[in-house]
Amino acid sequence: MTENAQQQPPAPSTDLPTQYAPADVEGPLYERWVERGYFEADAKSDKPPYTIVIPPPNVTGSLHLGHAFQHTLMDALTRRKRMQGYEALWLPGMDHAGIATQNKVEQQLAEEGKSRHDLGREEFVERVWQWKEEYGGRILGQMRRLGDGVDWSRERFTMDEGLSKAVLTIFKRLYDDELIYRAERIINWCPRCLTAISDIEVEYQEDAGELVSIRYGEGEDSLVVATTRAETMLGDTAVAVHPDDERYKHLIGRQIKLPLTDRTIPVVADAHVDPEFGTGAVKVTPAHDPNDFEIGRRHDLPSLTIMDEHGVITVHGPFIGLDRFEARSAVVGALKEQGRIVAEKRPYMHSVGHCSRCKTTVEPRLSMQWWVKVGPLAKAAGDAVRDGRVKIHPEDMSKRYFDWVDNMHDWCISRQLWWGHRIPIWYGPDGEVVCVGPDDEPPTGEGWTQDSDVLDTWFSSGLWPFSTLGWPEKTPDLKKFYPTDVLLTGHDIIFFWVARMMMFGLYAMDGEAPFHTIALTGLVRDEFGKKMSKSNPNAVDPLVWMDAYGSDAVRFTLANGANPGADVPIGEDWVKASRNFTNKIWNATRFALMNGATIEGPLPDASEMSAADRWILSRLNTTVAQVDAYYDDYQFAKLADALYHFAWDEVFDWYVELSKTTFFAGGEPARVSGRVLGEVLDVMLRLLHPVIPFVTDALWTTLTGGESLVIGDWPQDSGFRDNAAEQEIELVQRVITEVRRFRKDQGLKDGQKVPARLELTGTALAPHEAAIRQLLRLQPEGESFTATATLPVAGAEVALDLSGTIDVAAERKRLAKDLAAAEKEKAQANAKLGNEAFLAKAPDHVVDKIRTRLTKAEEDITRIQSQLERLPQG
């Protein structure tokens, strides 16, 4: 079964506390693992590598359920591979989180009555570093609470010296290959964060707006446009119509008066315009709308910027100084005074972009920015998945990936911040532009200045799989651990992070993708399937649950809900159930140790074992094979479910109970079963360890005397199967289950003993009579035994004497009353379902409800009649 099973370990201890207290075990045990270096990977090792890099959490962040979920799965994968003999590296680190971190420090300064401009750039950046050292990275301590088996000796930060060199290196290479350029384009601008943000950092939601219809021009030369952003008309430089729209052909090429201004603007023909939408005429504001910008480029239109970086109007006297939303009302009011509003404002729901960080309405804005030309990079990222070099799991998520990489726009990488990797471009006094690499000296002299912008956070985190291993240097770590094996992350950041890493990894590493597999998970939701949010009362701090129920309970609950790509509902009751599971493992292992469970000596020959012994070993090997298959397919929910039912149902509820009579009797059969139980517990704890590492390590070291499960061996399927034993024990289970059901139906208490005669001769059940009697609380038949109820089951017969245990007359009366009620329910349901007039009028859900009632009534009648038949006569 396992290598350890054949060795002679130190004598195990049975000194376990009567109750499992996670708080007493988890913290000290984790520190012991770290101190002993169990998680540290050796680049010089001859073992095959297995690598996962952690999706770097923001330095401003704290552990939330999404982190706990993904970290649990990554930890399970890494722990299993380490046990399988791989040189497993799970590399931790943090992201500098440009906007989020700068906002934190600016808020701190605001409390002091200052702004970053009071400090200046250099002093402000120093202040951010101080904040990072004092407040940043608390999530790292929380990861220890969860049990993350990461190599802390390799912890990285996206702004550390090595990663900064990687950023400068790849920027320089991309720039020299003409894949980075500077251009004036429409970007998403956040007036609150005062920076450009990328398309994927914009969250769209349906907002209530007002649609205003405005008449441009005069008389026959007029037309009407509709808009929800009336203030932007101050920057209109054209009106566009479809070239085939007969209504406006006479106006194409002519100039019309722009209201509220002294300007005239042309009417242009553009196929982008939908003649069926609205009036078929659209206002064109190239500096404040991405579609209008493209129309402007096609028709050589000027671009007029009408508001500043704060969203404040900067043109046309009456409106100068107004906020964009104040200006909207003021412009509509002025148009109304001139009689230009041809239709009253009406409510209009439309999709509006918001900054994903501060939720401010995003303003499209013409701006000079730095861009990555993604065409060839995105094609390479798509090809790597199409040709099988990289697998996406589950496979149906590939479509989302291709939808993104196949239609990716150039990426705006410059941010108007001070915290981050500063763009390594220097401008000279005579218009020179110089890109400075990590080994280059920046130009000096009067008039030379560095670009003031920093790079998008995702630019540096896109290098994470190889920059963390020492690239651009050819380090032993890079040689050993790149490419990484699996990227496990949420499907919601395919666009933010996954595609960026694929593009940069393939570019920087000569076509070698950064990982072999992309395993995508869903999002954690509450027990009702609703999205968790800090603004909602359903947000849960996993640390609270970890304090209350233990980290293993939280981990097992999360793994148990992890179906590939699917969202994960979680509620406190489920964590409590997982806590009960860890307690069950503790208590059952403690009982087993007190009753002779051991791994000392070789496993006895099958000929020496009971059927129950052979059955549980057969089931054990089947479970090992199942768990391995589920791990290889990233089916965490299925493997957790298989382990739960094997441990609780088969080991604790059946094997331990069936073996109690053997243990109590003592002798050689008890020794054999003790060794089998020790083997089962040894392997079971190994299988459970990657998901619930704390309780399993504490129990396994007690059981085996071994050093730690973290460095233990992963179980292997020995191939042992015993179908005959499995069938035999299944018969025992049928008998016990059926009699238990009958006892419950008769209202007998669990511990109530009943005289019984068992007719088992000639069946495979005969050797199990003692166990059956013990588990069913069946006493031997006495001289006065009267079989008042007989149960034929599994080819055997169980006769019970219920006289004196129940009031037969009262029970018959109760059941007769229940039967009459069920028959009345059945008759009423049949009457309604047989009424054609009722069926013609009743809604489908009402009819379905009545059918359900009929089915239940029929089931109740069958059950009650069976109970009556089994009752003693008289």
Side-chain angles (χ1 to χ4, degrees):
M1 300 290 293
T2 65
E3 291 181 17
N4 258 31
Q6 307 304 322
Q7 299 169 356
Q8 295 295 325
S13 165
T14 57
D15 185 21
L16 280 175
T18 55
Q19 291 184 324
Y20 178 49
D24 296 340
V25 172
E26 293 177 350
L29 189 53
Y30 186 85
E31 292 309 314
R32 193 178 313 141
W33 292 338
V34 174
E35 288 167 7
R36 293 180 179 179
Y38 293 157
F39 305 137
E40 293 181 14
D42 183 2
K44 298 178 182 177
S45 167
D46 293 332
K47 296 178 182 179
Y50 183 81
T51 316
I52 296 180
V53 292
I54 203 167
N58 285 356
V59 67
T60 59
S62 59
L63 189 75
H64 56 63
L65 273 174
H67 291 128
F69 170 54
Q70 292 178 1
H71 287 206
T72 294
L73 305 188
M74 286 184 277
D75 195 30
L77 290 171
T78 311
R79 286 178 181 269
R80 172 176 175 256
K81 286 296 183 180
R82 187 180 292 114
M83 295 173 74
Q84 286 181 316
Y86 286 78
E87 195 61 42
L89 170 61
W90 186 20
L91 195 149
M94 294 182 298
D95 191 279
H96 65 278
I99 294 177
T101 308
Q102 178 157 323
N103 282 347
K104 287 280 187 183
V105 179
E106 289 200 80
Q107 288 167 13
Q108 197 177 63
L109 287 173
E111 292 172 3
E112 301 171 13
K114 299 177 183 178
S115 74
R116 60 180 163 127
H117 300 286
D118 293 324
L119 274 65
R121 183 170 194 141
E122 189 173 327
E123 190 177 339
F124 176 78
V125 171
E126 179 59 33
R127 179 73 175 259
V128 181
W129 278 108
Q130 290 172 8
W131 182 94
K132 185 256 182 188
E133 294 303 316
E134 186 172 354
Y135 301 104
R138 61 177 171 164
I139 191 172
L140 300 178
Q142 295 165 346
M143 287 163 55
R144 301 169 89 94
R145 283 285 315 278
L146 188 65
D148 283 7
V150 296
D151 185 346
W152 292 109
S153 70
R154 285 179 166 84
E155 180 191 334
R156 304 305 300 268
F157 179 56
T158 50
M159 288 277 287
D160 68 28
E161 185 178 348
L163 269 64
S164 294
K165 181 176 182 180
V167 167
L168 294 175
T169 300
I170 201 160
F171 188 100
K172 172 73 171 170
R173 291 187 186 180
L174 289 165
Y175 181 85
D176 290 346
D177 287 344
E178 298 183 350
L179 293 174
I180 282 182
Y181 64 94
R182 193 175 188 230
E184 192 175 42
R185 301 272 182 84
I186 287 283
I187 48 93
N188 304 296
W189 180 264
C190 176
R192 158 65 179 75
C193 298
L194 297 180
T195 183
I197 58 176
S198 65
D199 291 344
I200 52 180
E201 293 171 300
V202 178
E203 293 178 349
Y204 287 91
Q205 64 185 47
E206 290 295 311
D207 283 2
E210 291 181 325
L211 196 64
V212 183
S213 296
I214 309 169
R215 179 169 53 85
Y216 285 24
E218 305 294 341
E220 293 184 359
D221 290 348
S222 69
L223 39 69
V224 174
V225 300
T227 181
T228 58
R229 302 174 69 217
E231 73 282 4
T232 62
M233 66 156 293
L234 301 173
D236 285 358
T237 56
V239 172
V241 298
H242 194 276
D244 299 329
D245 193 332
E246 292 294 334
R247 292 171 295 175
Y248 303 118
K249 277 198 170 181
H250 68 289
L251 289 176
I252 294 173
R254 298 177 61 178
Q255 296 281 325
I256 61 172
K257 181 79 166 54
L258 178 65
L260 304 184
T261 73
D262 56 2
R263 293 190 291 117
T264 60
I265 56 176
V267 177
V268 299
D270 197 281
H272 171 77
V273 178
D274 180 1
E276 303 298 322
F277 183 77
T279 64
V282 297
K283 58 192 286 303
V284 181
T285 321
H288 293 278
D289 184 275
N291 293 322
D292 293 3
F293 177 76
E294 296 301 326
I295 293 175
R297 290 177 66 175
R298 288 193 289 271
H299 297 278
D300 239 0
L301 300 174
S303 296
L304 301 181
T305 299
I306 64 162
M307 63 182 80
D308 66 14
E309 59 191 18
H310 297 279
V312 173
I313 302 298
T314 58
V315 299
H316 201 68
F319 309 110
I320 291 175
L322 294 179
D323 171 82
R324 53 187 169 153
F325 299 118
E326 295 173 335
R328 184 170 301 169
S329 298
V331 166
V332 170
L335 289 168
K336 191 174 290 187
E337 286 181 9
Q338 291 189 5
R340 293 285 177 176
I341 303 295
V342 300
E344 286 300 316
K345 294 185 293 184
R346 62 183 188 274
Y348 182 72
M349 295 299 294
H350 60 139
S351 182
V352 177
H354 297 261
C355 174
S356 62
R357 290 177 178 82
C358 70
K359 311 309 176 188
T360 300
T361 301
V362 167
E363 187 65 40
R365 187 167 187 257
L366 187 63
S367 181
M368 183 68 76
Q369 301 284 344
W370 285 95
W371 305 79
V372 171
K373 186 184 296 183
V374 300
L377 302 174
K379 181 181 184 304
D383 290 346
V385 174
R386 287 190 170 94
D387 63 24
R389 280 175 288 159
V390 178
K391 305 288 186 186
I392 292 182
H393 186 87
E395 191 175 350
D396 59 10
M397 284 283 178
S398 298
K399 183 180 184 301
R400 295 187 66 178
Y401 177 81
F402 291 131
D403 284 348
W404 179 251
V405 298
D406 293 347
N407 300 286
M408 195 182 296
H409 301 296
D410 283 1
W411 172 19
C412 177
I413 56 171
S414 45
R415 298 291 180 268
Q416 289 65 56
L417 304 170
W418 286 355
W419 172 246
H421 294 100
R422 193 165 176 181
I423 290 177
I425 295 290
W426 291 75
Y427 305 106
D430 298 318
E432 302 95 332
V433 179
V434 176
C435 181
V436 177
D439 300 319
D440 301 332
E441 288 293 329
T444 58
E446 187 176 348
W448 282 94
T449 58
Q450 186 177 358
D451 195 297
S452 60
D453 289 351
V454 300
L455 288 164
D456 179 9
T457 297
W458 296 101
F459 190 95
S460 51
S461 60
L463 315 179
W464 191 252
F466 51 95
S467 63
T468 52
L469 296 172
W471 187 91
E473 306 302 327
K474 295 180 178 180
T475 63
D477 275 3
L478 193 64
K479 182 178 180 181
K480 177 75 173 179
F481 296 113
Y482 187 92
T484 67
D485 286 86
V486 60
L487 170 73
L488 191 144
T489 191
H491 61 63
D492 57 322
I493 60 170
I494 290 177
F495 324 120
F496 286 94
W497 195 45
V498 178
R500 310 298 194 208
M501 287 189 290
M502 285 288 285
M503 292 191 303
F504 282 166
L506 290 161
Y507 174 79
M509 299 301 293
D510 300 320
E512 195 168 23
F515 16 76
H516 300 303
T517 302
I518 301 169
L520 297 170
T521 70
L523 307 179
V524 178
R525 296 183 178 273
D526 72 11
E527 58 193 302
F528 306 107
K530 294 181 180 178
K531 183 178 179 181
M532 287 191 177
S533 168
K534 290 180 181 178
S535 59
N536 293 333
N538 66 350
V540 173
D541 181 351
L543 296 167
V544 173
W545 282 353
M546 288 155 68
D547 287 340
Y549 308 113
S551 298
D552 282 335
V554 174
R555 290 171 62 114
F556 192 81
T557 306
L558 291 164
N560 206 25
N563 290 298
D567 287 348
V568 183
I570 185 172
E572 188 167 6
D573 285 345
W574 304 343
V575 183
K576 289 179 182 177
S578 296
R579 184 270 315 274
N580 294 343
F581 180 49
T582 60
N583 286 345
K584 181 77 170 180
I585 297 169
W586 182 274
N587 295 333
T589 303
R590 185 172 180 274
F591 169 85
L593 288 168
M594 294 171 63
N595 286 275
T598 179
I599 66 161
E600 292 186 39
L603 199 62
D605 188 77
S607 62
E608 302 176 58
M609 298 178 188
S610 68
D613 294 334
R614 299 193 306 276
W615 165 75
I616 196 62
L617 289 176
S618 183
R619 293 298 307 135
L620 176 65
N621 278 285
T622 297
T623 302
V624 171
Q626 285 179 332
V627 169
D628 273 331
Y630 291 145
Y631 261 116
D632 292 341
D633 198 34
Y634 303 98
Q635 297 279 358
F636 296 98
K638 289 183 178 179
L639 73 88
D641 187 65
L643 287 168
Y644 177 89
H645 288 293
F646 175 72
W648 194 306
D649 298 346
E650 296 185 308
V651 178
F652 303 143
D653 280 359
W654 284 110
Y655 179 68
V656 169
E657 295 299 319
L658 287 170
S659 301
K660 278 182 178 178
T661 53
T662 304
F663 289 137
F664 296 159
E668 183 61 16
R671 186 197 69 79
V672 170
S673 291
R675 180 64 188 87
V676 170
L677 180 53
E679 179 75 6
V680 171
L681 291 175
D682 176 21
V683 174
M684 183 194 77
L685 292 170
R686 293 171 190 265
L687 290 174
L688 284 163
H689 175 73
V691 179
I692 47 174
F694 293 109
V695 68
T696 51
D697 198 44
L699 291 173
W700 184 85
T701 52
T702 303
L703 170 70
T704 68
E707 183 181 343
S708 174
L709 257 184
V710 180
I711 54 172
D713 297 324
W714 182 252
Q716 295 183 0
D717 176 6
S718 70
F720 178 84
R721 300 290 191 280
D722 192 322
N723 292 331
E726 291 201 32
Q727 291 172 9
E728 185 173 327
I729 298 303
E730 283 173 13
L731 291 178
V732 175
Q733 291 172 325
R734 281 178 57 193
V735 170
I736 293 172
T737 302
E738 185 65 23
V739 176
R740 279 177 173 165
R741 184 181 297 117
F742 176 75
R743 286 177 59 108
K744 184 177 180 181
D745 288 345
Q746 304 311 314
L748 295 177
K749 296 178 181 178
D750 290 343
Q752 191 170 353
K753 295 181 178 180
V754 178
R757 181 176 66 243
L758 275 61
E759 298 290 348
L760 308 177
T761 306
T763 72
L765 296 166
H768 303 282
E769 180 169 349
I772 291 172
R773 283 187 177 277
Q774 180 177 319
L775 290 174
L776 291 172
R777 305 293 191 270
L778 302 180
Q779 293 178 317
E781 54 191 294
E783 292 182 5
S784 61
F785 178 83
T786 302
T788 58
T790 302
L791 296 148
V793 58
E797 191 173 271
V798 179
L800 303 173
D801 184 354
L802 301 179
S803 58
T805 59
I806 61 172
D807 184 336
V808 175
E811 186 65 11
R812 280 190 175 279
K813 186 176 180 181
R814 183 184 70 81
L815 289 173
K817 183 179 179 182
D818 290 348
L819 180 61
E823 287 174 336
K824 181 179 179 181
E825 176 76 359
K826 176 183 176 181
Q828 290 175 341
N830 274 327
K832 287 187 176 181
L833 294 173
N835 185 334
E836 294 295 334
F838 170 78
L839 293 177
K841 295 179 180 178
D844 289 346
H845 74 274
V846 172
V847 176
D848 288 343
K849 188 175 181 179
I850 294 171
R851 289 196 178 107
T852 301
R853 285 169 49 194
L854 175 61
T855 300
K856 185 179 185 304
E858 291 172 340
E859 290 172 350
D860 287 344
I861 291 168
T862 301
R863 175 179 55 80
I864 296 167
Q865 287 175 337
S866 176
Q867 290 176 241
L868 282 167
E869 289 170 3
R870 290 175 170 179
L871 274 176
Q873 298 300 314

